[in-house]
């Protein structure tokens, strides 16, 4: 019908236009957010690349944070900032827009003075404006600094002195820096410059270089394992770099201890102190590197070792009075004071040789160095299961609490399964060549130190029997037996005593049959028939801090 078609035509056209408009608007409403998101993502990626490029080329130790932990102001534009970059060495804080300007305008801490004629024996203050520590006082008027809500007041990055804007005078800008409270721990940049020049000239008479000749100078090196325990190593690295010369602070995930310890050869003999931030495994790694220094003929440069416990067990740290674990409760300034005040002691180190049985065994014996303890039985099984679980999913084991919970789980499981029962029928034990008749046991533990199992004094047990205290410097090992995982738990809460098998200078253990879990200082493995021989290897020079000892220690356990 021609008439009907002509009447319906305009309505169809208007509906078609409306449909097209709806489709266009729908498309725009979908595409526009996508395009905006893509554009923002592109700009963010571009900005991050630029920031990373500045970080990579800069002499500052820049780090980026999404939220500063205290009120902060940009050192360039002086605006209040919530996020941005900060230097872990000199403490500068800056917003993203001003990062490049700040990097070009401000100098960071110099680890070594350059371009100076002669051999300087001093240096001026290095002042940084703004963001001074809370509760700091002006060295001129003794009033609190940093109280105004703006970029104000100054701080010296070396001596940590602070001064008000209005108290800052020209003489302070050029005044010689004393390096403050920790002058006896800091390696001054001018010292490294002088030693570097003398090495180039092949001169070895360092005695006249300041502060080499200073009586109480005991430079400290900080070796931190950022992967230990509760992942506090990264934060500690920055805090120690703020207080010391950054050249004294090493990240063991980037540089090994053997290379880091070569700095000791630039410093006075028998004066260097090393603070190891990590677990007992990290301490063992550093002590192995120190043994390598002895082999190289660098024995006179051997440092004394203190511990900041970041691991899970921390039994060696506990034995030496540094505590069972660090979670940031003590400021780094107090940690450095503790290192200065600590006393030198010796630690026995032992050689553990594992020789496989068999007439046709051509493999070399496995050799370990033991600082803490050796064991065969349920605690080694727990460590082996824990280690296997951590290898599969390392991201889960970033907390000391989680690690201990996993240990508890495997300990409870072993109480039910008893995989190590009848150990006394599978092994023979000799102490100083004398065979020991074993009672019914599931595990044997050979101790060098007082603590075991994350804070338990295993040899003393409940403390109700008159046994001599375990010492870490007497050349003797304490050997005990346990009846199982439940017995271990009872000993840890002082509800039971271990089976004391004796003390000896040499321990020999023969595994006659089957495969059993073994461990040395928390490093476990499954071992077939073999002979394990433990003999004295050497001494390590350690530092003992009397203020952090836990449980009921006795002062007589230390060497005088």
């Amino acid at each position: 019908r021609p008439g009907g078609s002509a009447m319906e035509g305009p309505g169809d056209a208007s509906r078609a236009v409306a449909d097209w408009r709806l489709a266009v608007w729908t498309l725009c409403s979908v595409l526009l957010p996508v395009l905006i998101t893509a554009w923002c993502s592109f700009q963010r990626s571009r900005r991050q690349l630029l920031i990373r490029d500045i970080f990579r080329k800069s002499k500052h130790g820049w780090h980026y944070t999404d939220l500063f932990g205290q009120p902060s102001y940009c050192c360039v534009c002086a605006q209040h900032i919530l996020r941005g970059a900060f230097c872990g060495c000199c403490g500068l804080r800056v917003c993203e827009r001003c990062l490049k300007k700040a990097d070009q305008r401000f100098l960071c801490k110099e680890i070594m003075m350059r371009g100076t004629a002669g051999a300087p024996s001093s240096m001026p203050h290095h002042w940084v404006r703004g963001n001074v520590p809370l509760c700091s006082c002006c060295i001129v008027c003794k009033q609190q600094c940093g109280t105004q809500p703006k970029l104000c007041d100054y701080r010296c990055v070396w001596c940590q002195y602070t001064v008000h804007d209005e108290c800052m005078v020209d003489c302070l800008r050029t005044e010689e820096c004393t390096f403050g409270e920790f002058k006896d721990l800091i390696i001054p940049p001018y010292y490294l410059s002088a030693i570097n020049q003398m090495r180039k000239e092949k001169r070895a008479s360092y005695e006249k270089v300041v502060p080499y000749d200073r009586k109480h100078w005991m430079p400290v090196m900080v070796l931190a394992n950022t992967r230990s325990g509760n992942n506090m190593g990264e934060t500690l690295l920055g805090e120690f770099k703020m207080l010391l010369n950054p050249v004294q602070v090493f990240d063991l995930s980037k540089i090994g201890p053997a290379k880091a310890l070569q700095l000791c050869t630039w410093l006075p003999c028998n004066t260097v102190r090393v603070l190891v931030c990590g677990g007992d495994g990290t301490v063992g790694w550093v002590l192995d590197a120190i043994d390598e220094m002895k082999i190289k003929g660098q024995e006179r440069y051997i440092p004394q070792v203190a511990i900041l416990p970041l691991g899970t067990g921390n039994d060696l740290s506990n034995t030496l009075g540094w505590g069972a674990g660090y979670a940031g409760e003590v400021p780094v300034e107090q940690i450095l004071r503790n290192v200065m005040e600590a006393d030198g002691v010796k630690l026995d180190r032992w050689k553990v040789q594992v020789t496989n049985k068999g007439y046709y065994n051509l493999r070399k014996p496995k050799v370990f160095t033991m600082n803490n303890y050796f064991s065969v039985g349920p605690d080694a099984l727990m460590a082996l299961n824990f280690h296997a679980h951590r290898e599969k999913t390392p991201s889960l084991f970033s907390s000391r609490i989680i690690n201990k919970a996993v240990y508890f789980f495997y300990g409870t499981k072993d109480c039910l399964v008893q995989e190590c029962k009848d150990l006394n029928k599978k092994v023979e034990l000799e102490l100083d060549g004398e065979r020991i008749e074993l009672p019914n046991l599931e595990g044997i533990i050979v101790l060098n130190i007082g603590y075991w199992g994350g804070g338990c004094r295993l040899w003393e047990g409940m403390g109700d029997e008159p046994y001599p205290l375990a010492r870490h410097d007497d050349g003797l090992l304490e050997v005990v037996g346990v009846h199982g995982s439940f017995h271990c738990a009872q000993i840890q809460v002082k509800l039971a005593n271990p089976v004391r098998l004796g003390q000896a200078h040499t321990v020999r253990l023969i595994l006659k049959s089957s495969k059993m879990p073994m461990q040395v200082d928390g490093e476990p493995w499954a071992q077939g028939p073999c002979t394990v021989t433990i003999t004295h290897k050497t001494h390590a020079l350690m530092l003992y801090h009397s203020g952090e000892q836990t449980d009921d220690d006795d002062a007589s356990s230390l060497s005088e």
Side-chain angles (χ1 to χ4, degrees):
R1 299 187 317 219
S5 298
M7 289 177 66
E8 293 176 7
D12 291 342
S14 61
R15 279 197 299 272
V17 171
D19 290 344
W20 273 105
R21 285 178 180 173
L22 180 62
V24 169
W25 281 110
T26 302
L27 188 63
C28 289
S29 65
V30 172
L31 286 180
L32 191 59
V34 172
L35 291 172
I36 292 173
T37 302
W39 172 253
C40 292
S41 178
F42 171 75
Q43 290 295 327
R44 186 165 55 249
S45 300
R46 184 168 171 269
R47 189 168 64 250
Q48 287 174 350
L49 285 173
L50 290 172
I51 290 172
R52 280 199 213 103
D53 189 56
I54 294 171
F55 284 9
R56 183 172 52 84
K57 295 178 180 178
S58 177
K59 292 184 179 180
H60 286 276
W62 292 118
H63 299 276
Y64 189 84
T65 180
D66 287 321
L67 182 65
F68 286 109
Q70 66 181 71
S72 300
Y73 300 88
C74 176
C75 62
V76 177
C77 66
Q79 296 297 311
H80 180 260
I81 52 176
L82 294 175
R83 63 179 183 180
F86 66 95
C87 177
C89 298
C90 67
L92 282 176
R93 299 187 183 190
V94 62
C95 61
E96 286 184 21
R97 291 175 304 176
C98 301
L99 177 60
K100 191 171 183 180
K101 288 181 183 177
D103 191 62
Q104 295 170 348
R105 185 183 301 179
F106 300 106
L107 293 174
C108 192
K109 269 184 169 180
E110 282 188 304
I111 62 173
M112 186 184 295
M113 292 181 72
R114 303 181 186 278
T116 55
S121 58
S122 64
M123 58 185 286
H125 290 288
H126 180 163
W127 297 107
V128 170
R129 187 160 186 255
N131 304 305
V132 299
L134 301 175
C135 301
S136 56
C137 291
C138 175
I139 60 170
V140 177
C141 68
K142 310 303 180 186
Q143 298 298 312
Q144 189 173 345
C145 288
T147 56
Q148 301 180 56
K150 64 177 183 178
L151 188 76
C152 63
D153 305 336
Y154 291 86
R155 175 184 60 88
C156 175
V157 299
W158 289 105
C159 63
Q160 310 304 320
Y161 289 165
T162 55
V163 61
H164 290 122
D165 288 332
E166 55 271 21
C167 296
M168 175 63 77
V169 291
D170 290 339
C171 63
L172 279 176
R173 296 183 186 276
T174 57
E175 183 182 67
E176 177 184 335
C177 182
T178 63
F179 293 96
E181 180 185 359
F182 303 114
K183 64 182 179 182
D184 289 331
L185 300 181
I186 294 173
I187 304 175
Y190 55 77
Y191 173 83
L192 293 174
S193 300
I195 298 298
N196 188 45
Q197 186 62 34
M198 293 176 76
R199 287 201 163 202
K200 287 179 180 177
E201 297 170 0
K202 297 183 178 179
R203 290 187 290 150
S205 54
Y206 302 162
E207 290 79 6
K208 295 181 181 179
V209 180
V210 178
Y212 193 107
D213 57 352
R214 197 164 70 217
K215 184 178 180 181
H216 300 292
W217 192 41
M218 52 175 80
V220 68
M221 294 170 57
V222 179
L223 277 59
N225 187 351
T226 54
R227 297 172 184 169
S228 284
N230 51 4
N231 294 326
M232 286 198 65
E234 204 66 62
T235 303
L236 287 167
L237 281 173
E239 292 183 352
F240 282 117
K241 284 180 180 179
M242 290 276 284
L243 295 173
L244 305 170
N245 189 331
V247 79
Q248 298 172 243
V249 184
F250 297 89
D251 182 352
L252 292 179
S253 66
K254 296 178 182 177
I255 181 170
K259 191 171 181 180
L261 289 169
Q262 289 306 300
L263 180 60
C264 295
T265 62
W266 287 51
L267 300 166
C269 303
N270 305 316
T271 61
V272 181
R273 299 190 165 200
V274 170
L275 176 62
V276 180
C277 307
D280 289 344
T282 305
V283 178
W285 187 20
V286 173
L287 293 180
D288 288 340
I290 290 174
D291 285 346
E292 289 178 21
M293 291 178 68
K294 297 177 184 176
I295 296 170
K296 293 177 182 176
Q298 298 174 340
E299 193 156 1
R300 60 191 179 131
Y301 299 111
I302 296 299
Q304 294 175 303
V305 179
I307 306 170
L308 185 62
L310 302 182
T312 301
N314 304 313
D315 291 306
L316 180 57
S317 168
N318 219 352
T319 299
L320 296 174
W322 297 100
Y326 178 76
E329 67 279 5
V330 180
V332 291
E333 292 87 353
Q334 185 58 46
I335 293 168
L336 291 178
R337 292 184 198 109
N338 294 343
V339 172
M340 280 196 289
E341 296 165 2
D343 301 314
V345 295
K346 288 184 177 180
L347 172 72
D348 291 322
R349 303 192 78 211
W350 301 82
K351 176 184 174 184
V352 180
Q353 182 171 299
V354 182
T355 307
N356 292 318
K357 277 190 174 182
Y359 293 105
Y360 303 105
N361 180 35
L362 302 177
R363 290 183 296 176
K364 290 184 178 179
K366 290 186 281 190
V367 178
F368 304 90
T369 300
M370 183 184 84
N371 302 312
N372 299 2
Y373 37 73
F374 163 85
S375 70
V376 53
D379 69 321
L381 179 62
M382 283 187 280
L384 184 63
N385 289 331
F386 174 85
H387 186 76
H389 198 163
R390 185 168 60 178
E391 288 291 310
K392 290 179 182 177
T393 53
S395 59
L396 292 178
F397 297 84
S398 59
S399 165
R400 191 181 289 130
I401 294 175
I402 292 175
N403 294 351
K404 289 191 176 185
V406 174
Y407 265 107
F408 175 77
F409 168 76
Y410 284 119
T412 306
K413 176 185 173 185
D414 186 63
C415 287
L416 303 173
V417 179
Q418 293 184 318
E419 293 183 39
C420 302
K421 64 181 179 180
D422 298 327
L423 178 70
N424 52 298
K425 298 177 182 178
K426 302 173 185 175
V427 302
E428 293 179 5
L429 177 67
E430 294 179 8
L431 303 183
D432 289 337
E434 182 181 344
R435 184 170 174 182
I436 305 297
E437 289 297 325
L438 296 175
N440 185 26
L441 296 173
E442 285 192 29
I444 294 173
I445 303 165
V446 182
L447 297 159
N448 178 46
I449 60 176
Y451 283 92
W452 163 88
C456 167
R457 292 199 68 91
L458 182 60
W459 177 251
E460 284 81 9
M462 293 190 295
D464 58 343
E465 299 174 9
Y467 278 88
L469 291 174
R471 293 170 61 102
H472 51 263
D473 61 351
D474 58 356
L476 280 174
L477 294 166
E478 288 72 38
V479 185
V480 303
V482 293
H483 297 303
S485 295
F486 186 67
H487 186 208
C488 290
Q490 286 180 306
I491 295 170
Q492 287 189 319
V493 294
K494 294 193 174 184
L495 291 177
N497 285 316
V499 180
R500 298 181 184 89
L501 301 173
Q503 292 178 299
H505 298 89
T506 303
V507 175
R508 192 162 176 259
L509 187 144
I510 302 167
L511 179 60
K512 296 182 290 188
S513 61
S514 73
K515 185 176 279 192
M516 293 292 293
M518 294 184 179
Q519 70 156 337
V520 174
D521 291 353
E523 296 298 323
W525 74 97
Q527 177 65 48
C530 68
T531 300
V532 180
T533 307
I534 306 176
T535 54
H536 193 269
K537 179 182 179 183
T538 185
H539 283 106
L541 300 177
M542 308 298 290
L543 288 169
Y544 176 85
H545 176 55
S546 58
E548 294 294 331
Q549 194 82 357
T550 61
D551 257 346
D552 45 354
D553 279 338
D554 195 297
S556 63
S557 67
L558 300 175
S559 64
E560 297 297 331

